[in-house]
Each structure stands twice: as C-alpha cells, then as structure tokens.
C-alpha cells in the first residue's frame, strides 16, 4: 500500500490557502443532492455536522448519547490553544507550529501541524461569535494562560469548563441545523460497522440502543468523529462509554491504523484509591500554572505536608527543568512522577502520588483569586477526595488520557477507504507522539469548522456515486456480519462478566504497555492478550437480549474490540525500538532519563493494515520529512 499524504507543494505558510483554491467546489444548488453521515457529536462531530449542513449538504448525525451535550468533550477543562498573541509575549502561528511539532517529539507531519496553527485563530473568532464565555482580562481582551510545552500564554479558557462551553457553542450550531432540517439527528445509536460499496464508504450499520434494531443508513460519504481509545487500559480519564468500535470496524474494512502505540499519560490525575474504581478523574493541566509539584526529600516520609518544612521539599520539576519548571510537557511530567514514586518518595496512603501545592499562589494572590480561576476544579477535587485543596496540597498521579494514534488520514482527513473521513481524536494526524495540553479542542474544532467543509466538497465534486439501496450486496453482507457478532456475544453464556475481563486486560496494558515499556514486557503482553481474547469468547457472560436496552451487550462489543486493538497497540510498541513522546521504551533513553529517538530508523508514521482474522497486520510506512523544524534532542531544561 502506498500512503499518499497529499501534502501540497510550496512554502508551508501557503500550503493550505493554495490547496483550498485548487480543490473542486460543489455548486450551492447541488449540495442538497449529497448526503453525509457524521458519527459522533462531540466537538469534532458537532462542528462538522453543523458546518456541512450550513453549506447545504444533507447531514445524518449519530450519537450514542441521548444528547450531544453528553459527549466526552465536556470533560476538557483547561483551555484551547490559539496563536493570537494577546499577551504580547512573542507568540505567533509559526511558534505554535514549532511548539506543537517539538512537543510531539517530531513524529507528526509539518503540513498538518502548520495548518492547525494557522486556523487556530479562526476557531476563537467562531466560538466568541457563538457566545462561548471565554475569560477576559482587565482591558476587555480575552485572557490567556500557559500550558505545558510552551513559554508563551496562548491558552484561551472558560474557568475549568472550557470543553463544556465550547461544546455548548457547537451544540447550538448543530441544534440550529436540526431545527432547520439540515441535520437529521439520531440519538442512542451505536455504529456497528461501516459499509464499503463499490470501493467507497457509502453508509453505516447502526444499532438502535433502545430497541436493538439494526438500522441501515446510506450516504455519499461518512465522517467518523468518535474520539480515542484510552479505555483499552480500563482505568483512564475517559468516560466509560468512550470506545473504539467505530474506528476498529473501519480498520477491519480497510482503513489503516496510524501509530496505535502513541498514547498519552496525563500527569495531573486523582490517584487510584482502590480496585473498585472504573475510571479516573483528570485535574486540569492548567493547575500547573499556579500549583507547585513536590515530594519530601526523604524517602518514605509519612508526615503531613504542613509538617514538612520548605528546605525538606523537593520541587523536582523546577529542579530538573528550570526553563519550563512545572509546565514541562505531559509525557515528561508523567515519567518523572512515576520515577519519583518508584524510588520511594511518593506520598499518600498508597505512596503512588505527588503533591500539587497552591499555598504559594494563595499567599501571593489570595484564595479568592484562585477560586475565580479554578474554583470548580477545587470543588471537584473536594467532592471526590473529601480533602480541602485550599488548605492541603492536592495529590496527583499519571493516568491514561488521550490517544495520539488513530485511523490514518491524508491532508484532506480522508482514510485509505475512499469517502471515509476521520476527524478529531479518532484520527492520528496532528500531535505526533505527544499532545500538548489544550491542543485537543483546537484540533477537533479545526477539523470540523475549517478543514472538512473544504475537503468534503472536493471529494464529492471529484467522484461519481452509483445509487445504492439497503438491498445492495455490501449493505446486506455487512448487516449480516453485525448480527452474527451480536448473536455470538449473547450465546457464549460463560461465567465471567465483561468488566472482569476488561479489568484484566487493563492491568496487562498498564503494566506492560503503559508509561514504561520494555522488550520483555511487550512480548509478555502479546502472549497474554490473545489468550485473554480466546477466554473472552469462551467464558464471557452477557445477560439480557438484543431486543431492548442492554448495557452489558454494549460493553461486550466494545471490550471485544479493545481485546483486538490492544494487541495492535503492543505490536506497534514492540516494533518501534526508540523512545519518543508518550512511547517510552526503557531500553532507549539518554543518561538523564529522557526519551531517545532514532530518527534514522523511525522517522515515519507506522500505518498498520488489517490482513484477516488471526493474521498478523501488515506494516506500511509514511516517511516524515522536516524542512522547517529540524529534529533535535527535545530539551525543556
């Protein structure tokens, strides 16, 4: 398979504008002739569906929630990046491009990253016009704060609720089109498979989660905006319903999967407190603006934090990275927290945590000032831990968060299946091996508001579409495949619950495919995961039937996909014999314990191709070239 990224030629600052001009257009009167399916209605999906409908296309939007407002995008807390230089501190489109490429440890395409930086300012204008209540500073301009991996303030925010407010803006745009009839919204539907007819993505099979009915939906193109796959690790910061079924079904239909091992561990999460937990809670990275991270200098010190004097505290990030301090990128902060705790300096009852302390900020700026900036986050921490973070430091520890890997897409956001587009976290395109904080919202809205409306038109104008009906062989066969799979899940009638097996998978993934990966650990995981998958299909128990609401059946289908995806993640991690960003192979590190890349051998996108049930996937490589930002050892010191 030859992977054509379709990056336009010419100077990087002109690539996107030149590409837009060269793309074919659909006459406004002709747009109503085309139907586009959008799966997922979070930030990427809601913005894409609303934008495409505003242009005049017929849009079918699908959500497994009863409302788009429940999409996991609401969980994004800290902010959204944009190169507006409101702080007058030296920011620019090029600096955002540079920081993002460097932050991703030089494993992303220059063309995609520059476009993301270029349209970032448009996103802020769009959201302000929609009424998103961004914070403002004394002059009336929108306020900014800093995030990891940057030395400028470019993150726009709405207290600790930025994702929620941005989603409400996109939801209002989507609701407008639902009301006007441009978007037909299907709630409580789960995409079970994509239908490829005559070589093109022409629709989906969706399960009505209320009735169990398998529905056939036909379109001229399909857009997947279904988020990431962090729940393959069981404990993650993602909502429990977040899953990989849509992208995994597409992978099995011919869409190659890019860099599956690139998963982000977020450093600022509330630590695990017991094996009863089904998920973890993220505390925004924005807290690292004013909170200071430390541990006792003495290993095993069990004193209360208030009893440990200043001279006996180790502010280890400030000590090790004086230029960036507590605002180093997420992968760096996470690895250092693990290292500190592994050496016995951890705090709390489990000793698997470090302190995030706001005492200095409260003393300097007042408690009221902290409340205004982070009040809801402090309230959330208190609600979960029954501890007062104004009086005592928060306890934090890394957890699985965002996945940089996803379905491979070209510059137009189209996968290797013609007509199947992928946006937001579901694709692999913009973050490389590590995502900088506040860039997820930026990518999702850039894809939905400002990229897909152009590239979708070019695809529709450049192709001819044969009429298809639900009786088309491809639709009949795909629907049958889906039903057979559901019947198999219901017929196993074993003894183990879906959660039991998922939890066991999560432990294997965390222990062997987590923050620290080794050759031996990955090979062990690749032995255990197939065995666990066989056990699942022999001994899982899915109660209920397919004729009504069945949460256990929903979970079973998702875990079945995780059991396959997990093997691909470990396979990708084993083959990439280097350390970069969120992929840290312990055999490949500098004397200072930093990630050690191998640009001669691994400066490429690993794009895995499905070759059949039980067969090893095929590795395809898209070489990465760097004309504007030359790869160097990433340093934040």
């Amino acid at each position: 398979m030859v992977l054509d990224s379709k990056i336009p030629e010419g100077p990087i600052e002109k690539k996107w504008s030149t590409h837009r001009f060269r793309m074919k257009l659909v006459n406004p009167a002709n747009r109503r002739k085309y139907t586009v399916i959008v799966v997922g209605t979070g930030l990427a999906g809601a913005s894409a569906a609303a934008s495409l409908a505003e242009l005049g296309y017929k849009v079918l939007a699908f959500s497994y929630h009863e409302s788009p407002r429940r999409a996991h995008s609401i969980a994004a807390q800290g902010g959204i990046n944009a190169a507006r230089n409101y702080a007058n501190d030296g920011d620019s489109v090029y600096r955002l491009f540079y920081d993002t490429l460097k932050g991703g440890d030089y494993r992303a395409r220059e063309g995609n990253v520059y476009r993301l930086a270029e349209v970032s300012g448009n996103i802020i204008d769009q959201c302000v016009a929609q009424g998103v209540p961004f914070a403002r500073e004394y002059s009336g301009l929108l306020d900014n704060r800093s995030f990891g991996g940057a030395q400028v303030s470019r993150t726009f925010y709405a207290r600790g609720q930025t994702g929620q407010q941005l989603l409400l803006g996109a939801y209002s745009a989507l609701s407008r089109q639902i009301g006007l009839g441009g978007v037909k919204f299907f709630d409580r539907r789960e995409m079970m498979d994509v239908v490829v007819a005559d070589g093109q993505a022409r629709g989906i099979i969706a399960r009505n989660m209320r009735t169990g009915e398998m529905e056939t939906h036909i379109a001229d193109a399909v857009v997947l905006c279904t988020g990431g796959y962090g729940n393959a690790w069981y404990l993650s910061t993602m909502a429990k319903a977040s899953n990989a079924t849509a992208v995994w079904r597409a992978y099995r239909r011919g869409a190659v999967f890019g860099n599956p091992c690139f998963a982000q561990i977020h450093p600022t999460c509330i630590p695990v407190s017991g094996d009863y937990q089904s998920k973890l809670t993220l505390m925004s990275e924005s807290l690292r603006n004013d909170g200071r991270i430390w541990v006792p200098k003495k290993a095993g010190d069990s004193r209360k934090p208030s009893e440990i004097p200043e001279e006996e505290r180790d502010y280890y990030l400030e000590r090790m990275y004086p230029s960036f301090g507590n605002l180093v990128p997420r992968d760096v902060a996470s690895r250092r927290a693990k290292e500190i705790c592994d050496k016995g300096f951890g705090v709390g009852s489990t000793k698997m945590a470090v302190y995030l302390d706001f005492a200095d900020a409260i003393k300097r700026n007042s408690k009221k000032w902290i409340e205004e900036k982070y009040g809801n986050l402090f309230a959330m921490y208190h609600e979960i831990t029954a501890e007062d973070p104004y009086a005592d430091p928060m306890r934090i520890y890394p957890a699985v968060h965002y996945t940089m890997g996803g379905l491979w897409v070209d510059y137009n956001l189209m996968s290797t299946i013609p007509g199947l587009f992928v946006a937001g976290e579901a694709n692999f395109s913009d973050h490389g091996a590590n995502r900088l904080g506040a860039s997820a919202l930026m990518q999702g809205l850039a894809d939905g508001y400002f990229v897909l409306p152009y590239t979708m038109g070019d695809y529709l104008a450049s192709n001819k579409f044969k009429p298809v009906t639900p009786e088309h062989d491809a639709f009949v066969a795909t629907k049958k495949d889906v039903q057979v799979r559901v019947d198999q899940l219901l017929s196993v009638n074993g003894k183990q619950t879906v959660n039991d097996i998922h939890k066991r998978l999560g432990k294997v993934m965390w222990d062997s495919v987590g923050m620290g990966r080794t050759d031996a650990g990955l090979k062990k995981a690749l032995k255990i995961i197939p065995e666990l998958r066989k056990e699942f299909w022999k001994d899982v128990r899915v109660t209920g039937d397919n004729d009504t609401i069945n949460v256990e059946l929903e979970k079973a289908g998702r875990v079945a996909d995780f059991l396959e995806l997990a093997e691909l993640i470990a396979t990708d991690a084993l083959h990439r014999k280097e350390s970069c960003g969120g992929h840290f192979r312990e055999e490949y590190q500098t004397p200072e314990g930093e990630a050690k890349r191998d640009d001669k051998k691994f400066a490429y996108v690993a794009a895995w191709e499905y070759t059949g049930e039980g067969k090893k996937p095929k590795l395809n490589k898209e070489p990465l070239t760097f004309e504007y930002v030359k790869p160097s050892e990433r340093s934040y010191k």
Side-chain angles (χ1 to χ4, degrees):
M1 181 181 292
V2 178
L3 298 173
D4 182 4
S5 65
K6 293 185 172 62
I7 300 293
E9 296 180 353
I12 197 164
E13 65 274 8
K14 295 183 179 180
K15 288 182 184 294
W16 178 230
S17 58
T18 301
H19 190 61
R20 283 184 296 173
F21 177 73
R22 290 176 177 171
M23 284 190 285
K24 294 182 179 180
L25 301 176
V26 179
N27 183 296
N30 288 336
R31 292 174 192 157
R32 65 178 68 97
K33 298 178 181 178
Y34 294 103
T35 300
V36 179
I37 285 174
V38 177
V39 183
T41 51
L43 278 179
S47 60
S51 298
L52 291 170
E54 287 285 349
L55 287 170
Y57 299 109
K58 295 178 182 177
V59 177
L60 310 180
F62 295 80
S63 172
Y64 58 62
H65 295 301
E66 68 277 4
S67 166
R69 289 177 296 175
R70 289 198 60 202
H72 189 58
S73 298
I74 67 166
Q77 300 162 340
I80 177 172
N81 288 332
R84 298 302 290 267
N85 197 32
Y86 282 173
N88 198 29
D89 57 358
D91 201 11
S92 65
V93 168
Y94 196 91
R95 188 176 294 278
L96 176 53
F97 157 65
Y98 172 84
D99 287 344
T100 304
L101 206 62
K102 175 185 175 183
D105 221 350
Y106 307 98
R107 290 295 176 261
R109 295 186 193 131
E110 283 189 332
N112 282 71
V113 176
Y114 191 90
R115 178 177 64 186
L116 179 64
E118 184 180 354
V119 304
S120 64
N122 301 99
I123 298 170
I124 303 304
D125 292 340
Q126 173 92 357
C127 295
V128 170
Q130 290 173 337
V132 173
F134 287 120
R136 295 180 181 267
E137 44 96 69
Y138 75 99
S139 69
L141 289 175
L142 301 181
D143 198 13
N144 292 122
R145 56 189 176 200
S146 298
F147 259 61
Q151 291 181 303
V152 297
S153 294
R154 65 163 66 101
T155 304
F156 295 78
Y157 65 98
R159 297 187 75 187
Q161 306 169 348
T162 313
Q164 182 179 20
Q165 297 303 324
L166 291 173
L167 183 61
L168 288 173
Y171 173 63
S172 67
L174 178 62
S175 296
R176 164 184 154 79
Q177 279 300 323
I178 292 173
L180 292 172
V183 174
K184 186 175 182 180
F185 178 66
F186 296 85
D187 70 333
R188 298 294 291 161
R189 300 308 201 279
E190 181 164 20
M191 182 191 127
M192 305 297 285
D193 215 332
V194 63
V195 181
V196 181
D198 304 315
Q200 298 169 313
R202 295 300 306 273
I204 65 171
I205 304 300
R207 180 177 181 270
N208 185 321
M209 295 162 70
R210 291 191 178 92
T211 67
E213 180 185 356
M214 296 300 173
E215 302 173 345
T216 298
H217 297 277
I218 298 171
D220 300 298
V222 177
V223 186
L224 301 185
C225 306
T226 51
Y229 48 91
N231 277 340
W233 281 261
Y234 185 70
L235 284 181
S236 81
T237 66
M238 302 186 79
K240 284 302 293 179
S242 298
N243 64 87
T245 289
V247 294
W248 193 249
R249 297 292 101 198
Y251 165 75
R252 290 174 62 100
R253 292 291 174 188
V256 299
F257 208 113
N259 300 330
C261 79
F262 288 169
Q264 182 169 80
I265 313 293
H266 198 293
T268 318
C269 301
I270 298 178
V272 175
S273 57
D275 61 7
Y276 56 85
Q277 286 178 275
S278 61
K279 75 175 299 295
L280 296 173
T281 302
L282 170 70
M283 300 305 297
S284 171
E285 181 177 319
S286 64
L287 294 171
R288 290 198 275 149
N289 272 281
D290 295 295
R292 300 180 70 192
I293 294 172
W294 65 276
V295 293
K297 289 183 177 179
K298 180 182 178 182
D301 194 331
S302 59
R303 288 179 292 175
K304 295 180 180 179
S306 59
E307 297 173 352
I308 301 175
E310 191 73 14
E311 62 273 13
E312 295 182 31
R313 300 180 178 187
D314 180 14
Y315 295 90
Y316 59 90
L317 290 179
E318 298 173 32
R319 168 173 58 82
M320 300 170 78
Y321 305 97
S323 293
F324 282 74
N326 294 298
L327 287 175
V328 293
R330 292 174 174 178
D331 60 315
V332 176
S334 294
R335 284 199 300 273
R336 290 309 184 191
K338 179 180 185 298
E339 177 185 67
I340 286 288
C341 292
D342 288 348
K343 290 181 178 179
F345 295 93
V347 301
S349 59
T350 65
K351 299 300 180 184
M352 297 302 287
V354 298
Y355 288 130
L356 179 60
D357 196 338
F358 292 86
D360 286 351
I362 291 173
K363 183 178 180 181
R364 181 176 63 248
N365 296 315
S366 79
K367 179 181 177 181
K368 182 179 179 181
W369 185 85
I370 293 291
E371 286 177 337
E372 289 176 351
K373 292 189 73 172
Y374 308 114
N376 65 304
L377 297 173
F378 276 57
M380 184 170 68
Y381 183 88
H382 178 265
E383 189 72 21
I384 292 171
T385 66
E387 299 172 7
D388 182 3
Y390 293 104
D392 296 305
M394 292 182 180
R395 289 174 294 104
I396 59 170
Y397 193 72
V400 173
H401 181 50
Y402 187 93
T403 48
M404 287 76 66
L407 292 184
W408 184 93
V409 292
D410 62 19
Y411 193 66
N412 295 323
L413 302 185
M414 190 162 71
S415 72
T416 49
I417 297 176
L420 180 67
F421 293 79
V422 192
E425 191 180 358
N427 76 36
F428 88 104
S429 64
D430 291 0
H431 305 297
N434 175 63
R435 178 179 67 81
L436 292 184
S439 287
L441 306 184
M442 177 173 60
Q443 186 211 348
L445 293 181
D447 289 353
Y449 284 139
F450 298 108
V451 179
L452 276 171
Y454 288 95
T455 61
M456 180 62 71
D458 180 66
Y459 171 76
L460 295 174
S462 302
N463 288 273
K464 294 183 179 180
F465 303 92
K466 296 179 181 178
V468 294
T469 68
E471 287 70 41
H472 188 286
D473 289 347
F475 281 89
V476 173
T478 305
K479 190 173 184 178
K480 181 180 179 181
D481 289 345
V482 168
Q483 192 62 58
V484 166
R485 185 176 175 83
V486 169
D487 292 342
Q488 285 178 332
L489 287 169
L490 290 168
S491 65
V492 175
N493 201 29
K495 297 179 180 179
Q496 298 186 61
T497 68
V498 175
N499 277 347
D500 287 340
I501 295 176
H502 192 185
K503 188 179 293 187
R504 289 168 59 193
L505 173 65
K507 178 171 174 52
V508 174
M509 293 294 288
W510 181 252
D511 289 346
S512 298
V513 202
M515 272 194 284
R517 301 166 177 180
T518 65
D519 184 85
L522 291 167
K523 288 178 178 176
K524 179 181 178 181
L526 285 169
K527 182 180 179 182
I528 295 174
I529 294 169
E531 294 173 351
L532 189 58
R533 187 167 62 246
K534 290 179 183 177
E535 189 175 340
F536 173 89
W537 285 104
K538 288 182 179 179
D539 197 37
V540 73
R541 185 176 183 84
V542 181
T543 54
D545 53 41
N546 186 41
D547 299 328
T548 184
I549 295 173
N550 189 337
V551 176
E552 283 301 303
L553 177 60
E554 294 164 21
K555 289 192 295 185
R558 295 163 186 172
V559 172
D561 290 327
F562 283 142
L563 284 162
E564 295 180 10
L565 173 57
E567 187 173 0
L568 185 65
I569 295 169
T571 298
D572 188 37
L574 182 63
H575 113 274
R576 190 171 283 276
K577 300 183 187 305
E578 65 165 351
S579 291
C580 55
H583 169 64
F584 193 74
R585 286 286 297 269
E586 294 179 7
E587 302 95 335
Y588 307 100
Q589 55 183 298
T590 67
E592 295 80 23
E594 304 292 352
K596 188 176 181 179
R597 296 192 323 272
D598 187 342
D599 293 328
K600 290 184 178 180
K601 295 181 179 179
F602 294 99
Y604 59 75
V605 177
W608 296 89
E609 180 182 353
Y610 181 70
T611 59
E613 191 79 42
K615 298 180 180 179
K616 291 185 178 181
K618 179 184 177 183
L619 174 61
N620 301 279
K621 300 177 182 179
E622 180 203 333
L624 294 171
T625 57
F626 299 95
E627 182 181 353
Y628 294 88
V629 181
K630 299 300 182 183
S632 60
E633 184 176 322
R634 201 172 50 143
S635 174
Y636 293 94
K637 295 184 178 181

